Amino acid sequence: MPVIVQLLTALLLLCLSVTAQAEKLRIVTEPWAPYVYEENGKKLGLDYETTAIVFKRLGIDVEWQFLPWKRCLAMLEQGLADGALDIFHSDERDALLLYPSEPLSDVEFVMFYANARPHPFRTLDDLGGLTVGTSPGYLYSQAFSESTLFKREAAPTHEANFGKLQLGRIDLLITDRRVGRHVLEQMQLGDQITENPVVVSRQSQYLAVRRNAGMDLLVQRFSAELKRFKREPAYAELSARYGAGDMTKATSPGRASTEINR
């Protein structure tokens, strides 16, 4: 009897899985190198390639769209996308989205400053009178978002933010450490802009999907396969290629700690 029950359960799960895979999954994301980006028309990045491999193993076809982050979020809310790549977890999103138990990667948000105009930073109090470059569509903590000590100024792209920093139009900018390093290399600004070692926030990035029929099973299967892939040499090679784990260790400042959500 237990064997029959197991077979029936497996059949039910297979049916649900087929339902979830009847059409291509529409996944949206913002270019966020080195995690996900396009180069010469080719999609690349640690999290993109990891996700593509996992979906291929699960037999799921995906339709990808690379868009500004605010538009990604709007498409999720309007039901125009099935999921988002490299999204952070937040309680307010739980009503709309399902998250796998296994994250794709972890990020560390730090401040960057121009060498010609250095601004030492350890807590929010150190930002008094300054202007900090931010990214549109990102949800910052209440303390960071509502502080009257400093101004927040969004730019449409990470490149635009670094350009403003170079020109002195903002005093600091906040972004993920690896993303910042990648942009600096691409813009050849490594000798003009420096990253502050203080980690403002650490977050995990996920592939999240809308709470539609069959998606709960899909999330479980994705998480299980992602865990398996992370134990393989292929994942270690992929991580090494994109510099995963090559992070400067630093202690997050208590008073300045903020939760930042993509």
Side-chain angles (χ1 to χ4, degrees), residues 49-231:
E49 293 179 49
T50 297
T51 301
I53 289 171
V54 171
F55 274 138
K56 184 177 181 179
R57 292 183 176 186
L58 295 178
I60 297 174
D61 291 328
V62 178
E63 177 185 319
W64 293 94
Q65 283 187 278
F66 286 20
L67 303 164
W69 191 242
K70 288 186 70 174
R71 188 174 174 191
C72 292
L73 297 178
M75 290 182 69
L76 282 174
E77 293 173 358
Q78 297 163 12
L80 300 177
D82 298 309
L85 176 66
D86 280 353
I87 189 169
F88 296 171
H89 176 266
S90 65
D91 293 340
E92 57 265 31
R93 290 174 177 163
D94 280 341
L96 177 67
L97 301 174
L98 292 167
Y99 292 82
S101 59
E102 182 71 16
L104 283 161
S105 59
D106 296 313
V107 299
E108 293 183 347
F109 279 85
V110 298
M111 295 281 192
F112 288 81
Y113 60 83
N115 295 343
R117 297 171 299 278
H119 294 287
F121 163 78
R122 287 202 62 82
T123 73
L124 291 181
D125 291 341
D126 298 330
L127 304 180
L130 301 180
T131 299
V132 180
T134 60
S135 299
Y138 288 36
L139 302 178
Y140 298 89
S141 72
Q142 185 175 1
F144 186 91
S145 299
E146 297 182 359
S147 175
T148 58
L149 293 173
F150 57 91
K151 296 180 181 178
R152 289 152 295 275
E153 187 173 309
T157 66
H158 302 294
E159 291 79 7
N161 244 341
F162 276 96
K164 290 168 64 177
L165 182 61
Q166 179 195 22
L167 296 173
R169 295 176 181 172
I170 56 177
D171 300 301
L172 295 154
L173 69 80
I174 185 168
T175 191
D176 169 61
R177 186 190 300 281
R178 283 195 292 259
V179 170
R181 291 177 179 177
H182 184 89
V183 174
L184 287 177
E185 181 179 353
Q186 295 297 310
M187 297 180 69
Q188 299 182 352
L189 293 176
D191 60 339
Q192 300 180 50
I193 294 175
T194 298
E195 75 176 58
N196 190 309
V198 175
V199 177
V200 178
S201 174
R202 291 181 173 89
Q203 296 281 356
S204 293
Q205 300 191 115
Y206 297 86
L207 172 88
V209 296
R210 284 175 54 88
R211 290 181 176 272
N212 296 332
M215 289 300 192
D216 51 349
L217 173 62
L218 173 61
V219 164
Q220 294 174 28
R221 295 178 63 222
F222 183 90
S223 185
E225 191 59 44
L226 176 58
K227 288 180 181 179
R228 276 192 288 270
F229 178 54
K230 283 186 173 182
R231 293 193 292 265

